[in-house]
Amino acid sequence: MAKTVLVTTTINGESTEFLCKPRESLLEILRNKLGMTGSKEGCNNGNCGACTVLIDGLPVDSCLVLGVEVEGVEITTIEGIADIGQLDPVQDCFLEGAALQCGICTPGFIVAARALLDKKPDADEQTIRFDLSGNLCRCTGYDKIVRAIQAVQESN
Amino acid sequence: MPIVFIPAQLKSLTGGVSQVEMEVDNVGQVIEQLEAQFPGIRDRLCDGDQLAPTLQVSVDSSMGTRGLRTRVAEAQEVHFLPVIGGG
Amino acid sequence: MSSGNGSYRVIGTRPRRHDGAEKVTGSAIYGNDVQLPGLLSGFILRSPHAHARITSIDTSEAEAMEGVFAVISGKDFPEVADKIADLGEGAVNLSYLSDNVMAKTKVLYKGHAVAAVAAANVHIAEEAAAKIKVEYEVLPSVTWVMDAMQDDAPLLHENLCTDHMGEKDEKPSNTAVHMHFEKGNVEEGFAAADVIVEREFKTATVHQGYIEPHVSVADWTTSGRLKIWTATQGAFTARQQTAEVLQIPISKVVVTPCEIGGGFGGKIAVYVEPVVALLSKKCGRPVKITMTRADVFEGSGPTPGSFMRVKVGATSDGKLVAGEAWLAYDAGAYPGGMIGPGCMCVFSCYDIEHALVDGYDVCLNKPHTSAYRAPGATQVAFAMEQVLDEIAEQLGICKLEIRQFNAAKEGVRRVDGPVYPRIGLVECLDAVAQSDHWNSPLEGENRGRGIGVGFWFGCGLKSSVNASVNHDGTVNLTEGSPDIGGTRTSIAMQLAEVLGIDTFDVIPQVVDTDSVGYTDVTGGSRVTFATGLAAYEAGLDLQKQMVIRAADLWECPVDEITVEEGEFKGAGNSASFKELAQQLFKDGEPLVARASVAPDCATNGFAVHIVDLEVDPETGKVTILRYTAVQDAGKAIHPSYVEGQMQGGAVQGIGWALNEEYYFNDDDTMDNASFLDYRMPTMLDVPMIDTIIVEAANPDHPYGVRGVGEPPIIPPPAAIANVMSEAISKRFYDLPMSPPKVWKALSETS
Amino acid sequence: MKDFDYSAPTSVQEATTLLAEHGEQARMLAGGTDIIVQLREGLRDARMVIDIKKIPELMAIDYSAESGLTLGAGVPCYRVYENQEISAAYPALADSTHIIGGWQIQSRASVGGNLCNSSPAADTIPSLISLAASCRIAGPDGERDVAAADFCTGPGRNVLQPGELLVSIQFPPPTAQSSSAYERFIPRNEMDIAVVGAGSWVQLDESGSTIEQARITLAAVGPTPLVAQQAADSLSGQEASEENLAAAGNLAREVASPIDDMRGTIEYRVHLVGVLVTRTLTRAVARARGES
């Protein structure tokens, strides 16, 4: 058996330690070891974006990151997007704009959309669609998701 | 009188008759009367004392929810249809 | 045309959904999020072969592994009678269901479950599964429906004989069912036709593509109660199927429907539930299994591929006079596919006096098919709508006008017999005619515009709710319909409307099978209609109780109490619902209502879609330029979620039209069982989807609601195929219309 | 996923020692977007996964107009296309890195990883070859350089020997009046594997009307990326006209030897070679002229 590794990292601003085997993905660690089940498993091979988290501000598929790799980085998950008692504008606009149906892709979309808006606050529709093409949604046809992101832009 | 539509696949049992008017109050009576007129048709529509599980009955445009006890009123149409699943 | 609020306070508004905050913050609990003390992980070993006899299974090495708690295979499942069970929405043969959950003697498709392991974690479970030795005798296989119907085709079921409505052939066959419908006399009809078009069509197997894989957790407790948490469209049908497969009373099973990550018809049959149950029973610990994405493609239920021949005749003025269809649909590994609705829907959008339909349900070595949003209807619309366009072309008639001229309306008889009540197809077509999209110019080479029409029945089935008034006058509403697209809110809004309170004064909850009356699946476009109807009736009951109690409180006769928009008045008193509820809380028994319904009507939904597209003639790639979905919702309770259904269905249909398909290798195994290679549309592949909600009230619902979930997937492949003909003068009779096929067709011209 | 050990060396030396120790059982981990999937699906095996992202040299970008670009093997795609100097100097490289997976993949996936995975359909390799890049490889016996064009030897196979590690990719400095482009054909618009890919580089004369030299490389039409030498040579000294570029596209089809699979037929792929070569040449010429 492989050695168990102690990893120290920062998740949603909190310093966090966990033990893991090298084969465990960040997604598994978050969900099974740290009880943060907001990041979803849709495909487990980087094709759907439901497990998107930010590492040092960049969106990644957490199913394609090993837990042992995140030593010393800063991770933001869907659980860290809202402030206490206060939704993030992206969350607010998704809710207001009915940009979710079943909701399984929603955490991944919100995390990726947050990163997009932080980086490119004025992204046009084509840029939004390009940059979020790594997130699959099967319920909404994407229309209301794009509009929700545009609503965040308009509210700024 | 209610009108019973004979499923196209059972017309060989009715000598080509496609509609039968009959004095009935429910689907069970429809089956009884059909069987009396066209022996063998009951086995094609029923599984024991119930409507075949692959079939549903429609009375006018309503889908019967009470199987053979589904009521049939004056001038209504009775159709036997395959069950439908939805997504 | 889009819904105004009319005379309603709540209905037609767009409140946030009750479960929204949980879903945008990640705190909503889906099946995979369930954690229990001592929870183990499972893994299912699946067949690598499309068709094989299992000669032996040796699990000893797997069982001996450290960290492995239980291993099961087909022999651990009880014998199940060859009996058909009514699952509310559709019927299923229980022995087939059990065999599909875990193969016993034969595997019938690649991905068929053969054994399962419970272990300390999923990695150990997977490693242990790899150590299970299964010996197979590989058999010839077949995955194309027309091949499977041949006399010399490999037989999947040695005892299966074709059923012709209760009469069975003597010779075994892969064709499970033959259906036949007739209306009028087609020979006469075709004789009267001035133009006849007959074409053959093929469609590929496609998957619902929900983003959440199938997942279930079971805890078979020492008390003998089996507790299941699962991703299902119907907790009660999951309970029934699990109990039947395991041969235990349903009272021993409680199913909690978790938040569910999409279903579209694919999460009605059980796959994982009986497996985790048996593993849990064997090791005495709770067990969870999450399918891998490849498992989902290969081991759940896609929707049928098909072969279709459709022939339609019309007189020179464009009146359709005769239609004939011959349809063969995949059932997959076990009988029971979508051929019934296929037959019933092929001509369902039009008034055709003479029609004849034959349909065949055919077993072959693919996963057992499931419903996928208007199951069976999308395929036939792809065929019929193209034949209709060709007739219009030959007669030089506008493609919208020929549809308006022949549109089904109240009083028209379908080929399967029933006569339509009030329906809204004509209104939808009129809305197209008046739309900005239809009337806007479209210029440019290799571009075109066209339309397609779709119909879906929409069903009632059974629903139950409980409503309890809190002492602040809010109402807890418990229901049994898993909420896949905002239905907690569309149901709660109907209760709020009756009671004259606000949407958020109703607190809806979806509860387990112990906690609410029987409720059929979230499917068949039925929830907002039927569970909404139950909520409406519970509201009326509460109101009635409160009138009696108000009369007592205000010391006046009951008939002096009036209620208008939630305001109770009588004997000079007046109180809102909430005020009265607060007073009554201190004055006697709690206010509780319940309602259960089994509406027997179809809700008869129609959709018409308008598409503009452009073809890249060099690569054959299609770009959707503009898209408008028009649909009769009867009454849009929450217009945003109605639009959402229309937009989502449209994009699924676009995927079906252009790229999605099960691609089979020479050995009949699926080659593209991943989201990467199955190619569902991404955000970048579609434009905004405009919507026009038509409201032709359903006479069988107090607010006029029709089912809206299913119709929007039907028109897209048909509409897109019709536009291809406009754009590049090529007709496509095979789905998907993927770039290689489009390029090939173009290169054959030049 | 099978069990494996993990190590994150901080120097090339340490990495090559580890590699030597574990031989065939070691796998390199850069962005992980291929290797983690392959390990999970049992397509590759590893007892030891060596994370190269802690080695400074492998994560460095060094660019100057005079000496060209040295791209560390582990540098993720986004750092390439977001770098305006690099995007301007090596447009084909920017094109490639911007369309690998989605944003989530580009945050992690590296050009070096794409090269070492050696898929015939890899999106960056035609760009590397057409940009005349060379690969610096470290091993037990020191360093060696291999031309990008010679790196891949078959599907999933390359010149790396046991104990060897790709350190960086070197790109010659850009010359005036030259440019490049990469395009692939996929049925969707993103998140897909190339049915065919083409990377083209052109050097125009001072007037911008004549092609002095060109390089054309194809993806997904052979067991390795293929150089369309004859097509490229046909352009030397020719006017950069629509006809000539199209003729080169046609000529490039001759080197294609694709297979039929779920992504496309032989006939379709050969056809697409012509389309994509013409398109990338056209774009490269336009870029070289400063028109786009």
Side-chain angles (χ1 to χ4, degrees):
Chain A
M1 285 288 273
K3 279 190 301 228
T4 301
V5 182
L6 174 67
V7 177
T8 305
T9 187
T10 304
I11 304 181
N12 301 326
E14 253 179 70
S15 174
T16 307
E17 288 189 343
F18 58 83
L19 289 169
C20 74
K21 297 282 189 192
R23 68 177 167 184
E24 289 177 287
S25 69
L26 175 60
L27 178 63
E28 287 177 83
I29 301 292
L30 290 171
R31 293 180 51 81
N32 301 338
K33 293 225 158 117
L34 303 176
M36 302 170 86
T37 56
S39 304
K40 301 303 180 190
E41 176 184 322
C43 70
N44 215 21
N45 54 12
N47 294 319
C48 77
C51 65
T52 302
V53 302
L54 307 183
I55 293 186
D56 295 333
L58 281 171
V60 301
D61 293 317
S62 60
C63 71
L64 292 189
V65 178
L66 299 177
V68 289
E69 286 185 83
V70 299
E71 176 70 35
V73 304
E74 292 211 14
I75 297 169
T76 305
T77 70
I78 184 64
E79 287 88 353
I81 297 289
D83 282 338
I84 296 169
Q86 177 69 52
L87 293 179
D88 182 89
V90 178
Q91 294 169 317
D92 215 44
C93 289
F94 265 63
L95 255 184
E96 188 62 29
L100 62 150
Q101 285 178 33
C102 82
I104 198 85
C105 71
T106 308
F109 262 107
I110 286 175
V111 171
R114 183 67 269 161
L116 170 68
L117 290 164
D118 286 344
K119 195 176 167 91
K120 305 175 188 173
D122 302 320
D124 61 9
E125 183 185 336
Q126 183 66 15
T127 305
I128 292 170
R129 288 184 183 274
F130 185 91
D131 283 358
L132 297 187
S133 62
N135 292 80
L136 287 178
C137 169
R138 192 61 159 172
C139 295
T140 64
Y142 303 107
D143 182 297
K144 293 189 190 307
I145 295 177
V146 176
R147 289 182 198 279
I149 294 165
Q150 291 174 329
V152 179
Q153 293 174 320
E154 280 156 26
S155 70
N156 287 338
Chain B
M1 268 192 288
I3 307 163
V4 178
F5 282 66
I6 307 295
Q9 269 172 302
L10 303 187
K11 282 202 286 185
S12 57
L13 291 172
T14 64
V17 171
S18 59
Q19 294 176 22
V20 187
E21 289 195 21
M22 54 177 70
E23 208 55 76
V24 286
D25 297 324
N26 63 39
V27 174
Q29 291 170 10
V30 169
I31 302 273
E32 275 172 40
Q33 290 207 21
L34 284 177
E35 178 67 14
Q37 285 184 48
F38 311 114
I41 202 166
R42 184 211 312 264
D43 285 349
R44 304 285 291 276
L45 295 170
C46 293
D47 182 8
D49 57 359
Q50 295 192 342
L51 197 61
T54 52
L55 294 181
Q56 59 183 334
V57 66
S58 102
V59 176
D60 280 355
S61 58
S62 297
M63 296 300 173
T65 54
R66 294 184 156 74
L68 296 185
R69 296 209 315 110
T70 300
R71 287 204 193 86
V72 181
E74 182 57 29
Q76 283 189 313
E77 293 185 358
V78 178
H79 300 274
F80 294 94
L81 305 173
V83 292
I84 308 162
Chain C
M1 195 56 64
S2 76
S3 73
N5 201 7
S7 56
Y8 298 116
R9 292 178 64 255
V10 172
I11 288 172
T13 62
R14 299 170 185 249
R16 295 179 170 208
R17 57 195 280 177
H18 294 79
D19 54 338
E22 284 83 354
K23 286 181 176 162
V24 298
T25 56
S27 63
I29 300 298
Y30 291 78
N32 205 11
D33 304 334
V34 172
Q35 296 289 349
L36 295 173
L39 183 65
L40 302 176
S41 292
F43 189 87
I44 295 177
L45 179 69
R46 295 174 182 277
S47 166
H49 305 295
H51 194 190
R53 207 174 302 284
I54 299 172
T55 54
S56 71
I57 299 182
D58 176 2
T59 58
S60 54
E61 208 180 318
E63 282 169 90
M65 258 182 78
E66 196 185 326
V68 170
F69 289 77
V71 182
I72 60 167
S73 64
K75 68 176 168 40
D76 295 284
F77 283 73
E79 285 271 332
V80 177
D82 204 9
K83 160 186 137 187
I84 309 256
D86 178 6
L87 297 179
E89 218 206 8
V92 68
N93 178 312
L94 295 171
S95 78
Y96 292 149
L97 177 67
S98 174
D99 266 6
N100 195 39
V101 166
M102 190 70 75
K104 311 297 187 303
T105 56
K106 263 174 91 174
V107 289
L108 298 177
Y109 53 96
K110 182 197 177 194
H112 201 159
V114 291
V117 180
N121 63 52
V122 71
H123 301 287
I124 298 173
E126 187 182 356
E127 285 177 294
K131 291 188 176 169
I132 296 172
K133 294 192 184 74
V134 185
E135 282 180 22
Y136 297 98
E137 176 196 337
V138 178
L139 302 170
S141 55
V142 58
T143 51
W144 168 233
V145 65
M146 297 304 281
D147 294 341
M149 291 179 83
Q150 298 299 316
D151 281 344
D152 59 353
L155 270 187
L156 274 76
H157 304 279
E158 282 124 29
N159 299 321
L160 181 70
C161 299
T162 310
D163 177 287
H164 306 264
M165 203 173 189
E167 187 178 48
K168 287 196 191 271
D169 287 346
E170 285 180 3
K171 190 168 170 279
S173 164
N174 289 324
T175 304
V177 177
H178 166 224
M179 292 181 180
H180 178 76
F181 300 88
E182 273 178 47
K183 175 190 161 192
N185 180 326
V186 278
E187 282 175 25
E188 233 172 73
F190 282 114
D194 299 310
V195 53
I196 294 172
V197 172
E198 181 175 12
R199 297 286 180 262
E200 290 181 351
F201 302 85
K202 294 178 199 171
T203 70
T205 300
V206 294
H207 198 272
Q208 299 83 358
Y210 31 79
I211 307 299
E212 176 198 42
H214 294 260
V215 53
S216 302
V217 177
D219 187 8
W220 202 316
T221 61
T222 43
S223 70
R225 203 92 199 284
L226 169 59
K227 296 182 182 175
I228 291 177
W229 293 259
T230 189
T232 182
Q233 290 178 239
F236 287 88
T237 184
R239 179 181 74 167
Q240 185 190 356
Q241 292 176 72
T242 304
E244 296 275 15
V245 168
L246 299 175
Q247 293 289 290
I248 57 175
I250 54 166
S251 58
K252 293 283 186 193
V253 185
V254 54
V255 174
T256 302
C258 300
E259 297 303 337
I260 168 175
F264 313 110
K267 288 181 182 160
I268 296 173
V270 296
Y271 300 96
V272 181
E273 290 88 340
V275 177
V276 281
L278 273 190
L279 286 169
S280 173
K281 186 181 187 188
K282 201 159 178 177
C283 64
R285 299 259 297 257
V287 178
K288 179 197 286 182
I289 289 182
T290 307
M291 280 196 191
T292 66
R293 181 49 55 181
D295 289 352
V296 175
F297 278 114
E298 297 180 336
S300 68
T303 220
S306 65
F307 173 85
M308 303 173 283
R309 189 162 56 237
V310 172
K311 176 180 171 187
V312 176
T315 49
S316 57
D317 58 352
K319 178 76 196 116
L320 304 182
V321 289
E324 194 173 332
W326 191 97
L327 314 171
Y329 277 23
D330 296 349
Y334 298 96
M338 311 300 142
I339 190 63
C343 293
M344 294 156 82
C345 288
V346 59
F347 298 127
S348 60
C349 296
Y350 303 102
D351 179 7
I352 307 178
E353 194 179 346
H354 306 284
L356 182 151
V357 182
D358 280 290
Y360 298 86
D361 183 54
V362 183
C363 293
L364 33 58
N365 298 108
K366 296 180 187 176
H368 181 38
T369 53
S370 280
Y372 176 20
R373 223 170 181 156
T378 305
Q379 292 93 328
V380 288
F382 173 66
M384 174 59 194
E385 291 293 300
Q386 288 210 74
V387 168
L388 181 56
D389 255 33
E390 287 197 61
I391 288 175
E393 279 163 16
Q394 290 193 19
L395 293 173
I397 299 175
C398 161
K399 289 166 185 179
L400 176 57
E401 281 167 16
I402 198 169
R403 288 173 169 83
Q404 289 175 306
F405 185 38
N406 291 287
K409 52 179 91 62
E410 185 169 1
V412 165
R413 185 179 299 286
R414 288 202 313 255
V415 66
D416 51 312
V419 172
Y420 280 121
R422 173 88 172 86
I423 54 175
L425 175 57
V426 170
E427 287 85 342
C428 288
L429 291 165
D430 290 349
V432 169
Q434 290 156 23
S435 67
D436 175 65
H437 185 170
W438 188 252
N439 293 298
S440 66
L442 175 70
E443 285 159 9
E445 271 184 68
N446 304 307
R447 292 181 167 197
R449 170 176 298 157
I451 54 173
V453 179
F455 160 77
W456 186 253
F457 310 90
C459 60
L461 302 177
K462 302 179 207 290
S463 283
S464 310
V465 301
N466 301 321
S468 325
V469 181
N470 296 311
H471 61 249
D472 61 357
T474 59
V475 182
N476 291 342
L477 176 67
T478 55
E479 37 131 342
S481 295
D483 181 353
I484 320 186
T487 54
R488 278 182 181 87
T489 302
S490 65
I491 294 163
M493 286 170 76
Q494 296 179 61
L495 179 62
E497 185 69 46
V498 190
L499 297 178
I501 56 180
D502 291 340
T503 302
F504 295 107
D505 289 329
V506 178
I507 302 132
Q509 272 196 80
V510 180
V511 295
D512 66 44
T513 52
D514 282 357
S515 309
V516 68
Y518 182 88
T519 300
D520 275 310
V521 296
T522 298
S525 302
R526 61 174 291 277
V527 171
T528 298
F529 166 69
T531 310
L533 180 64
Y536 169 84
E537 294 200 348
L540 288 184
D541 182 15
L542 272 184
Q543 202 170 61
K544 197 166 136 197
Q545 293 181 43
M546 287 174 73
V547 165
I548 295 167
R549 297 273 297 276
D552 182 58
L553 185 73
W554 293 334
E555 297 178 340
C556 70
V558 168
D559 58 13
E560 276 185 27
I561 306 285
T562 61
V563 193
E564 259 177 66
E565 291 194 1
E567 195 73 13
F568 292 75
K569 287 184 181 155
N573 299 288
S574 138
S576 69
F577 176 89
K578 287 179 86 170
E579 288 163 352
L580 184 59
Q582 287 169 33
Q583 291 175 41
L584 292 177
F585 184 78
K586 300 172 198 142
D587 187 70
E589 68 274 21
L591 284 161
V592 174
R594 59 116 193 106
S596 56
V597 300
D600 60 5
C601 59
T603 68
N604 297 316
F606 287 87
V608 187
H609 290 190
I610 318 169
V611 191
D612 293 357
L613 61 76
E614 178 174 338
V615 180
D616 177 345
E618 285 191 321
T619 63
K621 186 164 168 173
V622 172
T623 300
I624 306 289
L625 301 171
R626 186 174 179 184
Y627 203 101
T628 303
V630 181
Q631 190 173 327
D632 175 18
K635 178 70 202 171
I637 298 292
H638 190 309
S640 295
Y641 286 100
V642 171
E643 292 161 5
Q645 290 294 321
M646 294 162 70
Q647 293 163 333
V651 170
Q652 285 184 316
I654 290 169
W656 193 339
L658 296 180
N659 280 314
E660 294 180 32
E661 65 179 312
Y662 273 45
Y663 187 95
F664 289 96
N665 292 314
D666 291 343
D667 63 355
D668 287 335
T669 59
M670 185 185 183
D671 202 25
N672 60 334
S674 71
F675 276 149
L676 183 66
D677 292 324
Y678 180 73
R679 297 181 178 133
M680 301 182 335
T682 72
M683 196 180 246
L684 194 56
D685 298 320
V686 288
M688 293 293 190
I689 307 294
D690 295 332
T691 56
I692 299 174
I693 298 174
V694 170
E695 295 186 323
N698 173 11
D700 292 310
H701 186 278
Y703 300 125
V705 170
R706 295 185 193 272
V708 297
E710 283 161 296
I713 201 172
I714 308 168
I720 289 169
N722 282 338
V723 190
M724 295 295 276
S725 165
E726 299 280 329
I728 54 172
S729 303
K730 288 279 169 192
R731 282 230 163 250
F732 291 88
Y733 302 106
D734 292 1
L735 286 180
M737 294 171 272
S738 52
K741 279 189 210 163
V742 175
W743 169 75
K744 179 98 178 146
L746 283 167
S747 66
E748 279 164 4
T749 339
S750 51
Chain D
M1 207 190 302
K2 287 188 188 160
D3 208 21
F4 54 78
D5 275 302
Y6 169 87
S7 188
T10 53
S11 70
V12 171
Q13 170 78 52
E14 201 186 330
T16 50
T17 308
L18 267 169
L19 273 172
E21 195 180 315
H22 293 276
E24 300 270 328
Q25 294 184 333
R27 293 283 163 205
M28 238 47 91
L29 170 69
T33 54
D34 281 321
I35 190 66
I36 293 176
V37 174
Q38 290 162 355
L39 292 172
R40 189 172 280 144
E41 293 177 355
L43 302 173
R44 289 195 200 252
D45 263 337
R47 290 291 188 76
M48 168 56 79
V49 167
I50 302 171
D51 185 349
I52 52 90
K53 294 191 292 297
K54 302 273 195 286
I55 307 173
E57 209 177 332
L58 273 78
M59 300 306 286
I61 294 180
D62 182 7
Y63 173 74
S64 75
E66 297 72 37
S67 58
L69 170 66
T70 300
L71 183 65
V75 173
C77 289
Y78 83 96
R79 285 182 58 199
V80 175
Y81 65 75
E82 284 187 0
N83 184 314
Q84 293 188 354
E85 275 184 323
I86 295 176
S87 293
Y90 309 102
L93 185 62
D95 292 343
S96 298
T97 49
H98 203 203
I99 57 173
I100 289 186
W103 191 10
Q104 288 92 335
I105 300 295
Q106 292 154 16
S107 298
R108 297 253 300 161
S110 63
V111 176
N114 196 232
L115 179 61
C116 291
N117 189 53
S118 301
S119 159
D123 284 311
T124 64
I125 307 178
S127 299
L128 302 186
I129 296 173
S130 286
L131 289 167
S134 109
C135 313
R136 177 142 304 164
I137 296 166
D141 309 322
E143 291 192 336
R144 64 182 178 122
D145 286 343
V146 173
D150 299 329
F151 190 86
C152 297
T153 55
R157 293 196 305 274
N158 54 49
V159 297
L160 288 179
Q161 298 300 307
E164 283 192 324
L165 164 77
L166 178 70
V167 176
S168 62
I169 306 161
Q170 334 268 331
F171 298 76
T175 52
Q177 306 283 59
S178 79
S179 195
S180 60
Y182 176 79
E183 262 193 58
R184 65 177 177 197
F185 180 79
I186 52 172
R188 294 196 285 188
N189 288 320
E190 264 296 303
M191 296 300 287
D192 220 328
I193 304 287
V195 177
V196 173
S200 296
W201 172 87
V202 294
Q203 174 70 60
L204 305 183
D205 68 357
E206 271 179 33
S207 72
S209 60
T210 303
I211 296 175
E212 290 182 343
Q213 199 191 344
R215 285 190 289 267
I216 300 168
T217 313
L218 312 174
V221 288
T224 62
L226 298 177
V227 174
Q229 192 65 49
Q230 207 190 337
D233 291 347
S234 77
L235 290 168
S236 295
Q238 300 295 309
E239 192 194 341
S241 65
E242 214 173 291
E243 300 74 45
N244 287 338
L245 300 184
N250 257 330
L251 210 48
R253 294 154 46 127
E254 286 178 17
V255 297
S257 59
I259 52 168
D260 275 327
D261 68 6
M262 64 175 164
R263 298 201 174 91
T265 59
I266 291 170
E267 189 191 11
Y268 185 52
R269 283 182 152 132
V270 170
H271 164 75
L272 287 175
V273 166
V275 174
L276 294 177
V277 167
T278 309
R279 287 182 183 182
T280 50
L281 284 170
T282 306
R283 187 185 285 188
V285 166
R287 282 171 169 171
R289 289 172 177 162
E291 291 168 358
S292 66

